[in-house]
Amino acid sequence: MRWGSYFWYMKKSPIGVFDSGYGGLTILKEIVKQLPEYDYLYLGDNARAPYGPRSFETVYQYTLQCVDWFFQQGCELVILACNTASAKALRNIQQKDLPKMGTHKRVLGVIRPSTEIIGNYSKSRDIGILGTTGTVLSNSYPIEVSKFFPDINVFQQACPMWVPLIENAEFNHPGADYFVIKYLEGLLAQSGKIDTILLACTHYPLLIDKIKQYLPAGITVVSQGTIVAASLVQYLENHPDMADAISKTGSLQFFTTDAAPDFDNHASLFFGKEVKSQHIFL
Ligand code: DGL
């Protein structure tokens, strides 16, 4: 116990992990592997997914409501395991809302950990970003990558059909191939030198086999789960007060804004294990 710390007298609470739907489970899965001792609350805003095509203001308002819900559950640390929410809502929440809600609370996203490391994968210095329309239009990736790797050229491709295909469990069926080929061609037409592609949407790891199948040899496909998990490990090492404030019984609780049985049916595909969720209204 740290007597000088803000947190020492507070009730310990789980880490909140958020996504518009199921995609954040691909991140939570890796976080739990690296930090099994902590407790986690997962919230999927399935009733309002997908976020990808929605406006900046809408994604911000929806994400803020979900973050507020985590805070009402007592969470001190919330991870936006969603690129679209990280691109469109994180900065506002960190700069405008958190100071009003209690400065000790923290909200982290998935873009920064990915952009800090992505340049290490590339020899050619041309990389590709595959994401939702919202993530691509925000330009968050080119802006953030240029801070850590100014010599890297970033090419982006929006893949608006991929989240619906994945959320509807059509990603393994032949219909998905058309849209995988279409978006990969769209990306590779922008540069013949791309040697690294980041899956900058937490849903896309479910399509990774099809994506690899249609890419020329020699291109590395990077998913975010292990990167975000390693970054959280580092964050908690650097912030021992926050690490102390998190409860550690190894528990996982799942919540959805849509029907719980539907969530449970789909979630195991993303999480790799059976999931039992509870429904909430926001
Ligand atoms: N999983 C989310 C992301 O990482 C987006 C899904 C959506 O469009 O809601 O961007």
Side-chain angles (χ1 to χ4, degrees), residues 19-21 23-24 49-53 81-85 110 132 135 163 167 200-203 224:
D19 182 53
S20 60
Y51 279 15
C82 173
N83 289 268
T84 312
V110 289
T132 66
T135 298
V163 168
E167 292 254 322
C201 171
T202 56
H203 282 68
Q224 295 175 300

Side-chain angles (χ1 to χ4, degrees), residues 183-203:
Y183 298 142
L184 292 180
E185 282 180 356
L187 179 66
L188 297 179
Q190 298 176 49
S191 160
K193 273 175 51 195
I194 291 172
D195 68 351
T196 304
I197 293 179
L198 176 70
L199 303 184
C201 171
T202 56
H203 282 68

Side-chain angles (χ1 to χ4, degrees), residues 26-179:
T26 64
I27 303 285
L28 179 62
K29 182 167 119 185
E30 298 302 328
I31 292 178
V32 172
K33 270 190 209 155
Q34 293 194 34
L35 293 165
E37 68 276 25
Y38 288 95
D39 294 339
Y40 300 92
L41 291 191
Y42 182 89
L43 173 61
D45 190 9
N46 299 77
R48 303 186 292 195
Y51 279 15
R54 299 195 191 280
S55 70
F56 185 95
E57 189 53 33
T58 302
V59 172
Y60 167 51
Q61 289 304 334
Y62 286 178
T63 307
L64 183 59
Q65 275 181 3
C66 294
V67 166
D68 194 42
W69 178 83
F70 281 113
F71 289 168
Q72 285 170 34
Q73 312 312 304
C75 297
E76 296 294 323
L77 178 62
V78 176
I79 314 293
L80 302 185
C82 173
N83 289 268
T84 312
S86 300
K88 293 188 156 186
L90 182 61
R91 183 187 291 256
N92 265 352
I93 291 175
Q94 284 176 335
Q95 292 180 355
K96 283 187 8 201
D97 301 299
L98 278 186
K100 289 186 245 156
M101 290 164 143
T103 47
H104 51 284
K105 295 188 185 292
R106 291 288 174 265
V107 181
L108 306 175
V110 289
I111 296 180
R112 169 96 191 236
S114 312
T115 52
E116 272 175 359
I117 205 165
I118 193 68
N120 298 342
Y121 291 85
S122 174
K123 286 200 171 66
S124 71
R125 312 318 272 162
D126 278 12
I127 67 162
I129 302 291
L130 297 170
T132 66
T133 305
T135 298
V136 167
L137 289 180
S138 76
N139 255 337
S140 300
Y141 272 93
I143 293 167
E144 290 297 317
V145 170
S146 73
K147 291 182 189 160
F148 299 106
F149 301 99
D151 62 321
I152 289 254
N153 303 306
V154 179
F155 300 90
Q156 304 188 89
Q157 175 67 45
C159 312
M161 288 303 291
W162 284 5
V163 168
L165 285 167
I166 293 165
E167 292 254 322
N168 289 293
E170 290 287 344
F171 57 94
N172 264 334
H173 298 153
D177 295 47
Y178 173 83
F179 287 104

